[in-house]
Tab-separated table of all heavy atoms in Angstrom:
chain	number	residue	atom	x	y	z
A	69	CYS	N	-12.206	34.898	-2.498
A	69	CYS	CA	-11.422	35.966	-1.886
A	69	CYS	C	-11.244	35.611	-0.413
A	69	CYS	O	-12.211	35.590	0.355
A	69	CYS	CB	-12.145	37.302	-2.052
A	69	CYS	SG	-11.238	38.697	-1.355
A	70	LEU	N	-10.023	35.302	-0.017
A	70	LEU	CA	-9.738	34.904	1.365
A	70	LEU	C	-9.463	36.112	2.243
A	70	LEU	O	-9.897	36.161	3.398
A	70	LEU	CB	-8.559	33.934	1.388
A	70	LEU	CG	-8.720	32.701	0.489
A	70	LEU	CD1	-7.454	31.862	0.515
A	70	LEU	CD2	-9.934	31.884	0.881
A	71	THR	N	-8.703	37.086	1.709
A	71	THR	CA	-8.443	38.354	2.408
A	71	THR	C	-8.463	39.461	1.364
A	71	THR	O	-8.245	39.222	0.173
A	71	THR	CB	-7.073	38.376	3.124
A	71	THR	OG1	-6.026	38.307	2.135
A	71	THR	CG2	-6.925	37.231	4.118
A	72	GLY	N	-8.698	40.693	1.787
A	72	GLY	CA	-8.679	41.830	0.866
A	72	GLY	C	-9.996	42.000	0.150
A	72	GLY	O	-11.070	41.761	0.709
A	73	GLY	N	-9.924	42.386	-1.117
A	73	GLY	CA	-11.124	42.596	-1.913
A	73	GLY	C	-10.794	42.713	-3.379
A	73	GLY	O	-9.763	43.270	-3.755
A	74	VAL	N	-11.658	42.159	-4.219
A	74	VAL	CA	-11.468	42.196	-5.664
A	74	VAL	C	-12.805	42.427	-6.360
A	74	VAL	O	-13.868	42.201	-5.782
A	74	VAL	CB	-10.836	40.892	-6.214
A	74	VAL	CG1	-9.469	40.638	-5.626
A	74	VAL	CG2	-11.748	39.706	-5.991
A	75	ARG	N	-12.709	42.874	-7.601
A	75	ARG	CA	-13.869	42.970	-8.481
A	75	ARG	C	-13.660	41.999	-9.626
A	75	ARG	O	-12.607	42.006	-10.263
A	75	ARG	CB	-14.015	44.395	-9.030
A	75	ARG	CG	-14.539	45.360	-7.983
A	75	ARG	CD	-14.338	46.813	-8.387
A	75	ARG	NE	-12.942	47.167	-8.080
A	75	ARG	CZ	-12.092	47.711	-8.927
A	75	ARG	NH1	-12.448	48.013	-10.155
A	75	ARG	NH2	-10.845	47.968	-8.551
A	76	LEU	N	-14.637	41.150	-9.854
A	76	LEU	CA	-14.584	40.188	-10.944
A	76	LEU	C	-15.534	40.687	-12.029
A	76	LEU	O	-16.723	40.896	-11.767
A	76	LEU	CB	-15.014	38.800	-10.467
A	76	LEU	CG	-14.891	37.698	-11.489
A	76	LEU	CD1	-13.437	37.262	-11.617
A	76	LEU	CD2	-15.745	36.522	-11.109
A	77	TYR	N	-14.977	40.927	-13.223
A	77	TYR	CA	-15.753	41.431	-14.348
A	77	TYR	C	-16.019	40.302	-15.324
A	77	TYR	O	-15.152	39.473	-15.578
A	77	TYR	CB	-14.987	42.540	-15.074
A	77	TYR	CG	-14.866	43.801	-14.265
A	77	TYR	CD1	-13.775	44.006	-13.422
A	77	TYR	CD2	-15.850	44.786	-14.328
A	77	TYR	CE1	-13.664	45.168	-12.672
A	77	TYR	CE2	-15.744	45.955	-13.580
A	77	TYR	CZ	-14.651	46.135	-12.755
A	77	TYR	OH	-14.540	47.276	-12.008
A	78	PHE	N	-17.229	40.305	-15.880
A	78	PHE	CA	-17.620	39.358	-16.911
A	78	PHE	C	-17.825	40.129	-18.207
A	78	PHE	O	-18.504	41.152	-18.222
A	78	PHE	CB	-18.925	38.645	-16.525
A	78	PHE	CG	-18.786	37.789	-15.307
A	78	PHE	CD1	-19.071	38.305	-14.050
A	78	PHE	CD2	-18.368	36.478	-15.423
A	78	PHE	CE1	-18.940	37.513	-12.923
A	78	PHE	CE2	-18.240	35.680	-14.293
A	78	PHE	CZ	-18.520	36.202	-13.047
A	79	ARG	N	-17.220	39.628	-19.275
A	79	ARG	CA	-17.341	40.281	-20.577
A	79	ARG	C	-18.812	40.357	-20.984
A	79	ARG	O	-19.594	39.448	-20.699
A	79	ARG	CB	-16.552	39.497	-21.621
A	79	ARG	CG	-16.578	40.148	-23.001
A	79	ARG	CD	-15.917	39.269	-24.032
A	79	ARG	NE	-14.484	39.477	-24.008
A	79	ARG	CZ	-13.633	38.761	-24.731
A	79	ARG	NH1	-14.064	37.781	-25.494
A	79	ARG	NH2	-12.350	39.001	-24.673
A	80	ALA	N	-19.163	41.442	-21.658
A	80	ALA	CA	-20.535	41.625	-22.146
A	80	ALA	C	-20.928	40.448	-23.029
A	80	ALA	O	-20.121	39.935	-23.805
A	80	ALA	CB	-20.640	42.932	-22.920
A	81	ALA	N	-22.180	40.042	-22.903
A	81	ALA	CA	-22.663	38.894	-23.659
A	81	ALA	C	-22.752	39.183	-25.161
A	81	ALA	O	-22.627	38.279	-25.973
A	81	ALA	CB	-24.017	38.452	-23.125
A	82	GLY	N	-22.948	40.446	-25.515
A	82	GLY	CA	-23.060	40.788	-26.933
A	82	GLY	C	-22.405	42.121	-27.229
A	82	GLY	O	-22.049	42.869	-26.316
A	83	PRO	N	-22.260	42.446	-28.497
A	83	PRO	CA	-21.642	43.721	-28.890
A	83	PRO	C	-22.412	44.905	-28.299
A	83	PRO	O	-23.634	44.924	-28.296
A	83	PRO	CB	-21.731	43.720	-30.415
A	83	PRO	CG	-21.973	42.302	-30.806
A	83	PRO	CD	-22.670	41.651	-29.647
A	84	GLY	N	-21.666	45.867	-27.780
A	84	GLY	CA	-22.275	47.063	-27.220
A	84	GLY	C	-22.863	46.889	-25.832
A	84	GLY	O	-23.342	47.841	-25.237
A	85	GLY	N	-22.824	45.676	-25.307
A	85	GLY	CA	-23.363	45.425	-23.972
A	85	GLY	C	-22.392	45.860	-22.890
A	85	GLY	O	-21.234	46.169	-23.153
A	86	ASP	N	-22.889	45.906	-21.684
A	86	ASP	CA	-22.061	46.284	-20.542
A	86	ASP	C	-21.462	45.048	-19.881
A	86	ASP	O	-22.072	43.972	-19.883
A	86	ASP	CB	-22.893	47.042	-19.499
A	86	ASP	CG	-23.316	48.417	-19.986
A	86	ASP	OD1	-22.558	49.022	-20.778
A	86	ASP	OD2	-24.396	48.868	-19.571
A	87	GLU	N	-20.281	45.223	-19.286
A	87	GLU	CA	-19.690	44.167	-18.468
A	87	GLU	C	-20.532	44.007	-17.206
A	87	GLU	O	-21.070	44.982	-16.688
A	87	GLU	CB	-18.268	44.539	-18.052
A	87	GLU	CG	-17.280	44.652	-19.180
A	87	GLU	CD	-15.894	45.096	-18.708
A	87	GLU	OE1	-15.715	45.413	-17.515
A	87	GLU	OE2	-14.992	45.138	-19.544
A	88	ASP	N	-20.636	42.787	-16.715
A	88	ASP	CA	-21.212	42.536	-15.400
A	88	ASP	C	-20.069	42.515	-14.409
A	88	ASP	O	-18.938	42.146	-14.754
A	88	ASP	CB	-21.937	41.190	-15.365
A	88	ASP	CG	-23.183	41.165	-16.233
A	88	ASP	OD1	-23.925	42.170	-16.221
A	88	ASP	OD2	-23.408	40.156	-16.915
A	89	MET	N	-20.334	42.907	-13.164
A	89	MET	CA	-19.285	42.935	-12.146
A	89	MET	C	-19.820	42.357	-10.839
A	89	MET	O	-20.955	42.626	-10.458
A	89	MET	CB	-18.814	44.372	-11.915
A	89	MET	CG	-17.573	44.492	-11.027
A	89	MET	SD	-17.909	44.732	-9.269
A	89	MET	CE	-18.585	46.370	-9.251
A	90	VAL	N	-18.988	41.544	-10.185
A	90	VAL	CA	-19.277	41.018	-8.858
A	90	VAL	C	-18.134	41.451	-7.956
A	90	VAL	O	-16.965	41.241	-8.286
A	90	VAL	CB	-19.391	39.479	-8.862
A	90	VAL	CG1	-19.557	38.934	-7.458
A	90	VAL	CG2	-20.512	39.021	-9.781
A	91	GLN	N	-18.468	42.084	-6.829
A	91	GLN	CA	-17.443	42.520	-5.878
A	91	GLN	C	-17.310	41.459	-4.792
A	91	GLN	O	-18.304	41.012	-4.220
A	91	GLN	CB	-17.836	43.857	-5.262
A	91	GLN	CG	-16.696	44.518	-4.542
A	91	GLN	CD	-16.911	46.020	-4.418
A	91	GLN	OE1	-18.019	46.519	-4.501
A	91	GLN	NE2	-15.831	46.740	-4.218
A	92	LEU	N	-16.079	41.040	-4.550
A	92	LEU	CA	-15.800	40.032	-3.535
A	92	LEU	C	-15.033	40.655	-2.385
A	92	LEU	O	-14.051	41.370	-2.606
A	92	LEU	CB	-14.979	38.878	-4.117
A	92	LEU	CG	-15.630	38.064	-5.235
A	92	LEU	CD1	-14.657	37.009	-5.740
A	92	LEU	CD2	-16.909	37.419	-4.752
A	93	ARG	N	-15.460	40.378	-1.198
A	93	ARG	CA	-14.771	40.763	0.036
A	93	ARG	C	-14.226	39.494	0.684
A	93	ARG	O	-14.589	38.378	0.303
A	93	ARG	CB	-15.739	41.466	0.996
A	93	ARG	CG	-16.303	42.750	0.461
A	93	ARG	CD	-15.254	43.843	0.582
A	93	ARG	NE	-15.690	45.076	-0.057
A	93	ARG	CZ	-14.969	45.756	-0.912
A	93	ARG	NH1	-13.779	45.338	-1.246
A	93	ARG	NH2	-15.418	46.869	-1.434
A	94	ALA	N	-13.404	39.655	1.691
A	94	ALA	CA	-12.817	38.505	2.391
A	94	ALA	C	-13.913	37.527	2.812
A	94	ALA	O	-14.953	37.923	3.337
A	94	ALA	CB	-12.041	38.979	3.612
A	95	GLY	N	-13.686	36.250	2.508
A	95	GLY	CA	-14.618	35.206	2.907
A	95	GLY	C	-15.747	34.975	1.926
A	95	GLY	O	-16.691	34.248	2.232
A	96	THR	N	-15.665	35.552	0.713
A	96	THR	CA	-16.711	35.342	-0.286
A	96	THR	C	-16.125	34.720	-1.550
A	96	THR	O	-14.914	34.749	-1.772
A	96	THR	CB	-17.446	36.655	-0.635
A	96	THR	OG1	-16.520	37.569	-1.240
A	96	THR	CG2	-18.072	37.286	0.600
A	97	ALA	N	-17.017	34.171	-2.362
A	97	ALA	CA	-16.598	33.529	-3.611
A	97	ALA	C	-17.671	33.742	-4.660
A	97	ALA	O	-18.808	34.112	-4.344
A	97	ALA	CB	-16.379	32.034	-3.390
A	98	VAL	N	-17.310	33.503	-5.905
A	98	VAL	CA	-18.262	33.522	-7.011
A	98	VAL	C	-17.932	32.343	-7.918
A	98	VAL	O	-16.762	31.959	-8.039
A	98	VAL	CB	-18.241	34.862	-7.781
A	98	VAL	CG1	-16.934	35.061	-8.510
A	98	VAL	CG2	-19.426	34.981	-8.734
A	99	ILE	N	-18.965	31.778	-8.518
A	99	ILE	CA	-18.778	30.705	-9.487
A	99	ILE	C	-18.828	31.328	-10.879
A	99	ILE	O	-19.836	31.929	-11.264
A	99	ILE	CB	-19.874	29.619	-9.373
A	99	ILE	CG1	-19.973	29.078	-7.941
A	99	ILE	CG2	-19.629	28.512	-10.397
A	99	ILE	CD1	-18.731	28.415	-7.420
A	100	VAL	N	-17.745	31.192	-11.625
A	100	VAL	CA	-17.680	31.692	-12.994
A	100	VAL	C	-18.222	30.587	-13.897
A	100	VAL	O	-17.699	29.474	-13.892
A	100	VAL	CB	-16.228	32.041	-13.394
A	100	VAL	CG1	-16.163	32.482	-14.846
A	100	VAL	CG2	-15.653	33.096	-12.456
A	101	PRO	N	-19.276	30.872	-14.668
A	101	PRO	CA	-19.827	29.831	-15.536
A	101	PRO	C	-18.817	29.344	-16.574
A	101	PRO	O	-17.977	30.106	-17.052
A	101	PRO	CB	-21.002	30.542	-16.234
A	101	PRO	CG	-21.353	31.682	-15.331
A	101	PRO	CD	-20.040	32.119	-14.727
A	102	ARG	N	-18.926	28.091	-16.905
A	102	ARG	CA	-18.099	27.480	-17.953
A	102	ARG	C	-18.207	28.309	-19.234
A	102	ARG	O	-19.299	28.706	-19.639
A	102	ARG	CB	-18.615	26.071	-18.205
A	102	ARG	CG	-17.980	25.317	-19.321
A	102	ARG	CD	-18.744	24.034	-19.618
A	102	ARG	NE	-19.225	23.391	-18.417
A	102	ARG	CZ	-18.843	22.183	-17.997
A	102	ARG	NH1	-18.018	21.462	-18.706
A	102	ARG	NH2	-19.314	21.687	-16.887
A	103	GLY	N	-17.050	28.613	-19.833
A	103	GLY	CA	-17.025	29.325	-21.095
A	103	GLY	C	-17.264	30.827	-21.002
A	103	GLY	O	-17.306	31.498	-22.021
A	104	ARG	N	-17.380	31.388	-19.802
A	104	ARG	CA	-17.644	32.831	-19.652
A	104	ARG	C	-16.321	33.568	-19.487
A	104	ARG	O	-15.507	33.249	-18.619
A	104	ARG	CB	-18.529	33.071	-18.422
A	104	ARG	CG	-18.972	34.501	-18.246
A	104	ARG	CD	-20.114	34.857	-19.193
A	104	ARG	NE	-20.377	36.279	-19.214
A	104	ARG	CZ	-21.341	36.882	-18.531
A	104	ARG	NH1	-22.152	36.190	-17.762
A	104	ARG	NH2	-21.496	38.184	-18.627
A	105	TRP	N	-16.082	34.563	-20.337
A	105	TRP	CA	-14.869	35.374	-20.251
A	105	TRP	C	-14.952	36.248	-19.012
A	105	TRP	O	-15.997	36.851	-18.732
A	105	TRP	CB	-14.731	36.235	-21.497
A	105	TRP	CG	-14.362	35.444	-22.721
A	105	TRP	CD1	-15.214	34.945	-23.663
A	105	TRP	CD2	-13.049	35.066	-23.134
A	105	TRP	NE1	-14.505	34.275	-24.633
A	105	TRP	CE2	-13.176	34.339	-24.338
A	105	TRP	CE3	-11.774	35.273	-22.599
A	105	TRP	CZ2	-12.081	33.814	-25.015
A	105	TRP	CZ3	-10.676	34.755	-23.282
A	105	TRP	CH2	-10.833	34.032	-24.469
A	106	HIS	N	-13.838	36.333	-18.266
A	106	HIS	CA	-13.821	37.098	-17.020
A	106	HIS	C	-12.424	37.655	-16.769
A	106	HIS	O	-11.447	37.217	-17.372
A	106	HIS	CB	-14.269	36.231	-15.841
A	106	HIS	CG	-13.425	34.995	-15.660
A	106	HIS	ND1	-13.540	33.884	-16.484
A	106	HIS	CD2	-12.447	34.705	-14.766
A	106	HIS	CE1	-12.666	32.968	-16.093
A	106	HIS	NE2	-11.985	33.443	-15.048
A	107	ARG	N	-12.359	38.626	-15.857
A	107	ARG	CA	-11.077	39.217	-15.444
A	107	ARG	C	-11.246	39.786	-14.046
A	107	ARG	O	-12.366	39.965	-13.565
A	107	ARG	CB	-10.630	40.306	-16.420
A	107	ARG	CG	-11.558	41.492	-16.457
A	107	ARG	CD	-11.135	42.540	-17.493
A	107	ARG	NE	-12.060	43.647	-17.503
A	107	ARG	CZ	-12.027	44.682	-16.661
A	107	ARG	NH1	-11.090	44.749	-15.722
A	107	ARG	NH2	-12.914	45.649	-16.727
A	108	LEU	N	-10.123	40.078	-13.395
A	108	LEU	CA	-10.122	40.610	-12.026
A	108	LEU	C	-9.450	41.967	-11.969
A	108	LEU	O	-8.529	42.245	-12.737
A	108	LEU	CB	-9.334	39.677	-11.094
A	108	LEU	CG	-9.944	38.333	-10.764
A	108	LEU	CD1	-8.915	37.467	-10.051
A	108	LEU	CD2	-11.178	38.490	-9.922
A	109	GLU	N	-9.889	42.785	-11.022
A	109	GLU	CA	-9.180	44.002	-10.618
A	109	GLU	C	-9.220	44.031	-9.095
A	109	GLU	O	-10.215	43.633	-8.476
A	109	GLU	CB	-9.840	45.258	-11.188
A	109	GLU	CG	-9.668	45.400	-12.682
A	109	GLU	CD	-10.281	46.682	-13.236
A	109	GLU	OE1	-10.755	47.538	-12.446
A	109	GLU	OE2	-10.283	46.833	-14.466
Side-chain angles (χ1 to χ4, degrees):
C69 181
L70 305 176
T71 65
V74 299
R75 286 165 279 128
L76 185 78
Y77 291 91
F78 295 92
R79 182 186 276 174
D86 291 329
E87 295 177 355
D88 293 318
M89 189 267 291
V90 175
Q91 194 158 21
L92 298 177
R93 297 283 174 230
T96 64
V98 67
I99 306 299
V100 177
R102 175 190 322 243
R104 186 78 191 261
W105 288 95
H106 58 284
R107 64 183 179 83
L108 290 170
E109 290 182 6

